[in-house]
Amino acid sequence: MIERLHLPFPPSENDIYANLRRVPSKRYKTWKRVADNELLAQRRAKNIKPVLGPYRLQIVLDCGKRIFKNGNRRVIDCGNFEKAVSDWLKHNELITDDSFCEGQSIEWGWVGEGMCSVTVLPTNRVALPSQYREAAE
């Protein structure tokens, strides 16, 4: 199990790429770099081990960010923030693959200004061997 990680507030799925060719945006690159530094600091203090196989993902987003979007006061959709977190978890080898996610919870809460918390919980199910997953696709 990955204990609760505290990361910077992730970019929206709409802000991850700069164009249609999936070139990472400057904001996304900056977020990943800061998140990587947070992970290094937290790895020293916590016993963080990857989750190999099926898992459940819990993300709590700073509710102070909920009503601000590009300087406008309007409610934003918390579902748009999962992709950046899942891809970052895979990139840092904290999960095997985001296709193993069996469920997720994304909600607003009090986690610190401009932050989010991420918890990865292993499930008891056994992952299908790769040849069966490929056949199912």
Side-chain angles (χ1 to χ4, degrees):
M1 175 177 106
I2 296 177
E3 285 186 43
R4 183 174 293 149
L5 294 172
H6 292 280
L7 301 173
F9 197 90
S12 165
E13 187 171 357
N14 300 326
D15 297 331
I16 292 176
Y17 299 106
N19 62 27
L20 297 177
R21 294 187 313 195
R22 300 188 54 89
V23 174
S25 69
K26 182 178 177 183
R27 181 168 187 256
Y28 184 43
K29 288 179 189 177
T30 300
W31 177 81
K32 288 195 307 184
R33 187 171 50 253
V34 174
D36 289 348
N37 290 336
E38 287 289 332
L39 176 61
L40 285 174
Q42 292 176 55
R43 266 199 168 139
R44 292 184 191 113
K46 300 176 183 180
N47 186 18
I48 297 173
K49 295 183 176 163
V51 174
L52 306 174
Y55 66 91
R56 291 189 55 78
L57 178 63
Q58 297 175 344
I59 301 172
V60 180
L61 301 163
D62 171 24
C63 63
K65 291 274 199 177
R66 184 175 189 187
I67 58 169
F68 298 103
K69 175 74 175 170
N70 300 327
N72 298 325
R73 284 187 159 268
R74 67 168 219 200
V75 177
I76 55 177
D77 177 7
C78 67
N80 285 340
F81 299 96
E82 176 272 331
K83 184 66 175 161
V85 172
S86 289
D87 288 350
W88 178 84
L89 289 167
K90 183 174 187 240
H91 174 76
N92 282 283
E93 299 179 347
L94 296 172
I95 59 172
T96 307
D97 192 82
D98 53 0
S99 66
F100 284 123
C101 184
E102 294 195 339
Q104 57 190 357
S105 165
I106 307 166
E107 59 191 56
W108 298 104
W110 299 103
V111 293
E113 188 175 338
M115 301 294 286
C116 76
S117 72
V118 177
T119 306
V120 180
L121 303 164
T123 62
N124 295 328
R125 296 186 188 177
V126 176
L128 286 174
S130 61
Q131 70 265 25
Y132 296 115
R133 282 199 324 267
E134 291 168 6
E137 294 172 348

